[in-house]
C-alpha cells in the first residue's frame, strides 16, 4: 500500500515538462526517500491569519502543500492566508529522486472570527465607539437583510445627525459589559432630544445568525439598552464589518422584519 501511495503521489507531482526533460536513466527512481515533515507558524492580522509552511528537508525537487481548506501550494516554503477560524489539517507531499513521501497531517489552529471581532470591538479590554457623523448615510433602515435601505436610505450629506445623537458613546468591554453614555441627552425615535437614558448592562457574544462576522445581544435593563437608535428591533446586533477604527452594525435579527444598519467610528 505504501508503494502505491508513493507512486501515485509522484505521478501527481511530476509534470509532462519535467518528464520530457529527463533521460531514460533519470526517469529511474534512485536513492532513499526521506520522511516528509514540516513546520508551520501563524500570524493573525485583522480578520485573517497568514500561515507560513516550511519543509524540513531541502533535497526534494518538488513540494506540494495541502492547506486544509481545499487549496494547495508549492515550494519548499509557502505562505497561505486563511479567512476562517477553527482547526484545519495540512500536509506536505515531497518528491525526491527515489520517489515521493507524504507527511503526516498537522493541525493548523486558527482563531475563530468572532473571537477576533470581539478583540477589535473591545480593544482587548474596553473600547468606546460613536456613530460616524462624518460619512453619508450613517444610519439606514430596510425590511430585511437583502434590502437594508428601502425604508430609509440615510442622510445624503455628512454631519446631519442631531447633536444629541452624534455625541453618544457606546463602550464594550472584554468582560461582556456594555455601557451607554448619552452625554447629556438621548435622541429618541420620532425626532426629539430627551432626558439621558444612560445604562450599563451585560451582553452575550458569538457567531452571527445570518449575515455578519459576529453577533451580540444586550441583556434587558432599565432604561432599555440600545446601540445607535432607540427604536432598534430588539436587543440583537450583528457586526457586518470592523477594523480598528470603523464598524458597521446591523440592528435586528434575521426574523425581525426591519433592520437598521449603522456606521460607527472608534473614539
Amino acid at each position: 500500500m505504501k508503494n502505491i501511495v508513493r507512486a501515485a503521489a509522484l505521478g501527481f507531482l511530476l509534470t509532462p515538462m519535467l518528464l520530457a526533460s529527463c533521460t531514460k536513466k533519470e526517469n529511474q527512481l534512485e536513492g532513499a526517500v526521506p520522511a516528509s515533515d514540516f513546520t508551520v507558524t501563524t500570524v493573525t492580522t485583522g480578520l485573517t491569519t497568514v500561515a507560513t509552511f516550511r519543509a524540513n528537508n531541502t533535497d526534494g525537487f518538488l513540494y506540494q502543500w495541502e492547506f486544509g481548506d481545499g487549496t494547495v501550494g508549492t515550494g519548499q516554503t509557502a505562505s497561505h492566508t486563511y479567512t476562517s477560524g477553527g482547526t484545519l489539517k495540512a500536509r506536505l507531499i515531497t518528491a525526491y529522486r527515489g520517489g515521493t513521501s507524504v507527511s503526516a497531517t498537522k493541525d493548523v489552529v486558527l482563531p475563530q472570527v468572532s473571537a477576533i471581532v470581539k478583540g477589535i470591538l473591545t480593544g482587548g479590554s474596553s473600547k468606546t465607539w460613536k456613530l460616524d457623523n462624518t460619512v453619508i448615510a450613517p444610519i439606514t433602515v430596510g425590511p430585511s437583510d437583502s434590502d437594508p435601505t428601502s425604508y430609509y436610505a440615510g442622510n445624503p450629506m455628512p454631519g446631519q445627525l442631531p447633536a444629541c445623537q452624534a455625541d453618544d458613546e457606546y463602550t464594550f468591554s472584554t468582560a461582556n459589559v456594555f455601557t451607554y453614555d448619552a452625554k447629556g441627552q438621548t435622541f429618541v425615535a420620532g425626532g426629539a432630544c430627551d432626558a439621558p437614558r444612560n445604562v450599563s448592562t451585560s451582553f452575550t457574544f458569538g457567531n452571527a445568525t445570518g449575515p455578519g462576522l459576529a453577533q451580540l445581544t444586550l441583556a434587558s435593563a432599565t432604561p432599555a439598552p440600545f446601540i445607535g437608535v432607540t427604536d432598534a428591533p430588539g436587543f440583537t446586533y450583528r457586526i457586518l464589518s470592523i477594523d480598528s477604527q470603523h464598524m458597521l452594525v446591523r440592528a435586528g435579527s434575521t426574523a425581525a422584519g426591519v433592520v437598521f444598519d449603522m456606521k460607527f467610528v472608534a473614539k
Side-chain angles (χ1 to χ4, degrees):
M1 181 64 182
K2 181 178 180 180
N3 291 333
I4 294 175
V5 172
R6 180 179 297 177
L10 179 62
F12 176 66
L13 287 167
L14 293 176
T15 65
M17 182 177 295
L18 285 172
L19 290 173
S21 65
C22 295
T23 65
K24 181 177 180 180
K25 183 177 180 180
E26 289 171 334
N27 279 334
Q28 298 174 354
L29 300 179
E30 300 175 354
V33 180
S36 186
D37 197 11
F38 64 95
T39 60
V40 56
T41 57
T42 59
V43 176
T44 299
T45 304
L47 297 174
T48 62
T49 298
V50 176
T52 300
F53 298 85
R54 293 182 176 87
N56 289 353
N57 297 322
T58 61
D59 51 352
F61 64 88
L62 281 175
Y63 300 85
Q64 173 85 39
W65 300 92
E66 297 176 357
F67 296 126
D69 60 355
T71 62
V72 298
T74 59
Q76 184 181 331
T77 300
S79 293
H80 183 61
T81 299
Y82 294 92
T83 57
S84 60
T87 299
L88 302 177
K89 294 186 178 297
R91 71 173 182 172
L92 169 65
I93 304 171
T94 309
Y96 304 93
R97 288 186 60 82
T100 61
S101 177
V102 181
S103 75
T105 59
K106 290 190 177 183
D107 289 344
V108 182
V109 180
L110 306 170
Q112 292 291 345
V113 172
S114 60
I116 299 174
V117 170
K118 185 178 180 183
I120 300 172
L121 174 71
T122 63
S125 57
S126 181
K127 189 169 183 176
T128 300
W129 299 80
K130 302 173 68 174
L131 284 167
D132 191 350
N133 201 25
T134 69
V135 298
I136 295 172
I139 301 172
T140 64
V141 187
S144 64
D145 287 330
S146 60
D147 180 11
T149 62
S150 64
Y151 288 168
Y152 176 59
N155 295 333
M157 297 291 291
Q160 295 189 334
L161 289 176
C164 64
Q165 185 179 37
D167 65 357
D168 290 356
E169 295 184 354
Y170 307 89
T171 301
F172 304 87
S173 78
T174 53
N176 289 359
V177 175
F178 164 74
T179 302
Y180 164 62
D181 185 352
K183 295 299 180 182
Q185 290 183 306
T186 294
F187 181 77
V188 179
C193 293
D194 205 345
R197 299 188 183 184
N198 297 336
V199 68
S200 183
T201 189
S202 62
F203 63 87
T204 58
F205 196 90
N207 296 327
T209 301
L213 301 171
Q215 178 172 298
L216 64 90
T217 303
L218 303 178
S220 179
T222 302
F226 67 90
I227 301 173
V229 292
T230 59
D231 56 341
F235 296 149
T236 298
Y237 298 82
R238 287 172 282 158
I239 298 175
L240 303 186
S241 64
I242 191 171
D243 59 34
S244 62
Q245 293 299 312
H246 301 92
M247 175 170 63
L248 178 60
V249 174
R250 176 164 292 170
S253 68
T254 56
V258 61
V259 293
F260 289 72
D261 281 5
M262 298 172 289
K263 299 171 184 175
F264 290 85
V265 63
K267 180 181 176 183

